[in-house]
Amino acid sequence: MQKMPKKYYVFFTLPTLLAFVIAFFIPFLAGIYLSFTEFRTVTDASWVGFNNYILAFTDDQNFINALIFTIKFAIVSVVLINVFAFFLAYLLTRSIPGTNIFRTIFFMPNLIGGIILGYIWQLLINGILINFGVDITFDASYGFWGLVVLMNWQMVGYMMIIYIAGIQSISNELIEAAKIDGANAWQILKSIIVPMVMPAVTICTFLTVANSFKLFDQNLALTAGAPDRASAMLALDIFTTFYGRIGSEGVGQAKAVMFFMIVAAIVLIQLRLTRSREVES
Amino acid sequence: MSKRSMSLIGILAVLVMVLSAFIPSAPAKADGGELYFLNFKPEQAPVYTKIGDAYKAETGVTLKVVTAASGTYEQTLKSEIAKADAPVLFQINGPVGYQSWKGYCADLKDTDLYKHLSDKSMAVTSGDGVYGIPYVVEAYGIIYNNAIMTKYFALDGAKAKSMDEVKNFATLKAVVEDMTAKKDKLGIKGVFSSTSLKPGEDWRWQTHLANIPVFYEWRDNKVDIASDATKEIKFQYADNFKNIFDLYLNNSVTSPKLLGSKSVDDSMAEFALGQSAMVQNGNWAWDQIAGVDGNTVKAEDVKFLPIYTGMPGEEKQSISVGTENFFAINSKASAEKQKMAADFIYWLYSTPKGKAFVTNDLKFIAPFDTFAENEKPTNPLAKEVMRYMADTNLYNVAWNFVKFPNQTFKDNFGAALLKYAQGNMKWDDVKTLVVEQWKKESAR
Amino acid sequence: MKNREVIRERILFILLLILALLYLFPMLLVLMNSFKGRFYISDTPFALPTAETFAGIKNYFSGIEKTGFLPAFGYSLFITVFSVGTIVLFTSMTAWCITRVKSKFSSFLYYLLVFSMIVPFQMVMFTMSKMANICHLDNPVGIIVLYLGFGAGLSVFIFSGFIKGIPHEIEEAAVIDGCGPIQTFFLVVLPILKPICITVAILNTMWIWNDYLLPYLVIGNNYKTIPIAVQYLQGGYGSRDMGAMMAMLVLAILPIIIFYLSLQKYIIKGVVAGAVKG
């Protein structure tokens, strides 16, 4: 099927292509253009150059704060999620009764939507904090750790499944051979299992970084940025800038373009690291 | 085909069948056309549905009512008005709203409804044009439960003998603090309901309460509120705001550090359940109070007290009567649609059927001469409003908050009040923030 | 030696059991509170219902009424099922076509689609909802087109990765037998793609069923899906009925748990396959 008559090519690609152009391609280009303009609706845009980008930093501290908050959050949750997920995967690949049920339970939160997760945890966290006479809006660090716990609860099961797949792909003979050579469980873990699941580590890091950066629903439901937008992450800050005030749509769009560039940069770095590692091995 | 894929297909088939029952039907186009109304008051959404049915039965016009969630009206209006099928009838919140939406506000000078507006000065005008018609008069103050107050006044050593003696902040403070000390005897958890400071639930403070010092500042400095002089404030009566706000916080059902999770609904429920004796809110709150299960408050015990802040001469201050709800008609809609909108609001406020909805269901005090004395709402708070309005000895605290810069200012102010309540921000910093934010947001 | 291993196993088992209970705890907590009166939830979420605080299933009725849960469920189900079906059908076609027909345009299209995967939704949220309005896609049927367009990147990427591994010979044999491209795809290729179709379907179901911002911006005022209804209950109507909230959380979780438990094996497999490819 190296060659296909044009009409068939059109038949196979047109529906997707059309939807893609409407839902993504035009909005994407229009979004870049609008970030250099001042607008309320699309039709009344007037060119302002880089003004919106400057305003994003100078008008208030919200964008910088959200950026710092997001980076901190991403680092903490990536580390914790992967450590827990690997630990669980390691336990669940040993001969323990009921591993399947455990797997089912640990994975379950992953299917629940972010808005709903946010409210579940709001109830739980406020229920604990009320004993100390405060609530989650008292300090941004409560919101921060609340989000970290929530994100762990949601993502650990997912990552665990990927690690399990990674561990199970290690041949039994290799481990048996090590055992015969007198290696104990710790040595097997350190010298065989961990190096062999490195590809899974790459995947999981990638997924957790991407998800941490783009987090929105959970943030909106759990704290909505309280107190005073101090617990707002990038996606939420962009949303509030955009829809919270008439006249700052352009600034919101400029923030969104920068957000896109940050995410793209992280993905590129990640891909380069993965590629160089693949070359080494 | 394997058994498994058979069962999968089975599941899918069932799903499709279930779905076909749910397939959303497109809204039917009626013969008389459709009128799109973007409603501001979420609590009234079900009433407008009823009104829509009645109006359709009478005129054949379908009323499409969309209601924005609380605190999101401007945001919803912004996205809706840009659409091909934009709202024809919407609302602006006064002169500031008019500035944002003037490109979309049609001149209503010649509409029938405007001709019946009792007090023409209430309308939003610019030059010769009339761009917003107020459709409801409202008032807010401190709502109190007279049964609990009577109980208190009967106690030995009460700081006053009746509510008639509470005519200024000093007396109010003495009474409230004494009540807090005796709250077990009174059977309440706190004198005031929770000062709800959850984001989006803080408008009673950053808008309504803040109006009072701003009103006095502009009155005392003789500021023309139609001029640009309102673009900056000194917040010179900040301490008066602090007086009453501290009183709310320190004599409350809820500890100040927990207020960031409390909503207006929580506070009204506390009042309705008799856990508190007072709550600051407006006459629109009656349904909320009456609608709580296990409500212990009797209608005849629900009264209004002006919000005293320690201003000289406040003995003559009334509750705060005004409006922030103005009908506007989309000037970009077709002439035919615009006429439909004007016809609808005139129908609602002039025909017996429409007026019945306004009075009995919406429970609006309508500012039009089409309403006779016996056509006014009869709920206790509405009666209180009319009682205060009739008392010519008192001066009204006008709703100057319609000149507050914008939602961002209010949100930032509300967030600062929360931090202040939690003990994370000093009062002087709140004051500075208000002055700075006011100037900054006004300049936009 | 054997004995020690048994003991260690037991300890690990108990540890896992505790962890599993901790994992289920938040969901059980919500379930329990959904039976309590609305004023007994925020302040004392850990207290069991008592005679005074027990509200029966009243919260469920008030929640269903306040949020319009039944239509919300209908919209969510309708949008999810038809969007996923559309995505699987059209993106598998596209992926096969651009993988097999090597041309500059094919690879341009492929990279463009892959590129769309890394663009955060906030980048296009405003312009996309405007576009949806101009094209009259702001209704539960039109939104399917948006999901196809926005979900195309990941789905085409996963399909392409799989198709590259299918030997050409099978398709060539079909062509020799007289099949045109359309027959070849639907009769020969699509059956081979079945496992990966399930993967793509599951990944998209998880995304679309739970999606909040896209439907909120595009159709949220007129058609509320479940996440929008839950969020609206929190912010809207000037009131916050915690009892109704708890009941709605339970009702929102329930379908997804049933879906998960009945298709668990496919879901876990699909997620792994999707992650490894993605």
Side-chain angles (χ1 to χ4, degrees), chain A residues 115-132:
Chain A
I115 293 284
I116 291 148
L117 283 176
Y119 289 121
I120 294 177
W121 280 91
Q122 194 186 55
L123 174 79
L124 183 63
I125 293 170
N126 277 339
I128 295 170
L129 288 177
I130 198 170
N131 296 315
F132 302 96

Side-chain angles (χ1 to χ4, degrees), chain B residues 233-258:
Chain B
I233 57 163
K234 288 182 247 171
F235 203 22
Q236 68 196 65
Y237 297 122
D239 288 342
N240 298 80
F241 184 97
K242 182 174 182 294
N243 280 343
I244 187 78
F245 194 66
D246 283 346
L247 197 69
Y248 289 163
L249 294 180
N250 297 333
N251 298 281
S252 169
V253 168
T254 306
S255 137
K257 286 185 178 174
L258 291 171

Side-chain angles (χ1 to χ4, degrees), chain B residues 4 70 80 82 198 261 265, chain C residues 38 130 221 234-235 240 266:
Chain B
R4 189 167 295 153
S70 86
E80 288 295 295
K198 187 182 158 67
S261 312
D265 194 47
Chain C
R38 56 192 284 207
K130 183 67 195 165
N221 285 318
Q234 174 75 4
R240 195 169 64 121
Y266 294 102

Side-chain angles (χ1 to χ4, degrees), chain A residues 52-98:
Chain A
N52 289 328
Y53 288 85
I54 297 163
L55 280 176
F57 291 99
T58 55
D59 201 25
D60 51 42
Q61 291 296 303
N62 292 330
F63 189 63
I64 306 248
N65 289 343
L67 182 61
I68 295 169
F69 190 92
T70 308
I71 291 172
K72 272 197 219 157
F73 173 79
I75 293 171
V76 173
S77 36
V78 166
V79 171
L80 287 180
I81 289 171
N82 283 287
V83 168
F84 285 131
F86 180 80
F87 171 71
L88 282 180
Y90 177 66
L91 290 184
L92 288 178
T93 45
R94 298 169 63 102
S95 56
I96 294 174

